[in-house]
Amino acid sequence: MAFDLDPGLAALLLAIGFVGSMISGMVGIGGSIIKYPMLLYIPPALGFAAFTAQQVSAMSAIQVFFATLSGALVFRKGGYIHKPLVVVMGTAIVAGGFAGGYGSQWLSDSVINATYAVLALIAAVMMFFPKRADEGGGDAAGLKFNRPLAFALSLAIGIVSGIVGAAGAFITVPVMLVILRIPTRVAIASSLVITFVSSIGSTAGKLMGGHMPFWPSVIMIVASLIAAPIGARMSKKIGTKTLQWMLIALISATVVKIWTDLLF
């Protein structure tokens, strides 16, 4: 579908991409759960041409790719990214994502949706559990974690995320905080890198699939490169309790959306 990208639509897309990317940089998630409904419903509600679900999915994928990359680069300078954690969890999530994506062909839509809904609900409940008390210090170099447990949990997240076609970052962060006992800022920074790695395949697939509208996607990329670093810098200055409550709000909104779609 061709789009007459007039200034009004371009400004709207820039605003949507800016909001989603800034939140991505702040709390370490890809932000698709925010951008997807905004891109799908807001343009036609304001009188612009509607994007198809395939186009919205493609635009979200490339926005996540650049938002997580640019946000991670900001956190890298502060020593918040835990490289062994990224390697262990990133490898497992990518492997699980491939397995889940391939295996989803044998599952019904209802099973897929129900599995994701339950996992999202667990993630929301987990955010209310006690977190690591020691949040001081930005250097992640000396941080220890249970590698076999991290790999197993990430593999499971990757499989389910691959089945439903989502990045799963909003599940990864609660797992880091509550089960692996990772400090909040380290979890956010490391999650951005993991989400970037896991988004490479989906972004490449969308590009090859031909569903990505060129100019709207360029605008989303520009918004990502500007806003995600701003969000990441803000994240460094915001209190960890505030960041945790932001995550709770976003994950809870995700749960409501998923269960509403499932039940109604």
Side-chain angles (χ1 to χ4, degrees):
M1 182 184 295
F3 282 89
D4 295 323
L5 196 60
D6 59 40
L9 179 57
L12 177 61
L13 293 175
L14 187 65
I16 292 173
F18 194 93
V19 170
S21 299
M22 188 165 66
I23 293 175
S24 173
M26 289 178 68
V27 297
I29 62 175
S32 289
I33 194 65
I34 303 164
K35 293 183 299 295
Y36 189 92
M38 291 176 72
L39 287 170
L40 195 62
Y41 299 121
I42 293 179
L46 296 180
F48 298 108
F51 293 102
T52 66
Q54 287 278 20
Q55 288 172 327
V56 169
S57 177
M59 290 161 62
S60 294
I62 199 164
Q63 188 276 337
V64 168
F65 178 88
F66 283 97
T68 52
L69 173 61
S70 54
L73 289 175
V74 173
F75 276 110
R76 180 180 61 85
K77 299 175 183 178
Y80 291 102
I81 296 173
H82 193 287
K83 293 179 182 178
L85 182 67
V86 169
V87 171
V88 171
M89 296 190 71
T91 301
I93 285 178
V94 170
F98 278 117
Y102 181 75
S104 63
Q105 60 185 308
W106 292 294
L107 299 175
S108 66
D109 288 346
S110 60
V111 171
I112 292 173
N113 293 335
T115 301
Y116 201 49
V118 170
L119 195 63
L121 183 60
I122 292 172
V125 172
M126 284 172 58
M127 285 302 298
F128 290 95
F129 287 9
K131 317 296 188 304
R132 181 187 176 106
D134 178 18
E135 293 286 357
D139 190 1
L143 187 65
K144 305 296 182 182
F145 67 100
N146 188 324
R147 298 192 181 203
L149 180 60
F151 186 89
L153 292 171
S154 302
L155 187 65
I157 292 171
I159 290 172
V160 176
S161 299
I163 287 173
V164 299
F170 70 93
I171 301 169
T172 306
V173 176
V175 165
M176 288 183 182
L177 293 175
V178 178
I179 300 179
L180 300 177
R181 312 296 289 177
I182 305 297
T184 302
R185 298 190 201 281
V186 176
I188 289 172
S190 301
S191 175
L192 280 171
V193 181
I194 293 169
T195 305
F196 164 70
V197 171
S198 65
S199 72
I200 294 174
S202 60
T203 302
K206 294 297 183 182
L207 280 169
M208 291 186 292
H211 298 295
M212 195 173 290
F214 180 75
W215 284 115
S217 298
V218 169
I219 291 173
M220 298 301 287
I221 292 171
V222 171
S224 301
L225 294 176
I226 296 172
I230 293 174
R233 293 188 185 97
M234 290 175 63
S235 181
K236 291 182 178 182
K237 299 177 181 179
I238 297 173
T240 55
K241 290 295 182 183
T242 302
L243 290 171
Q244 290 173 9
W245 278 108
M246 289 178 64
L247 280 164
I248 288 172
L250 289 170
I251 293 170
S252 298
T254 301
V255 170
V256 170
K257 180 183 183 301
I258 292 172
W259 279 97
T260 300
D261 292 346
L262 181 64
L263 298 176
F264 303 102

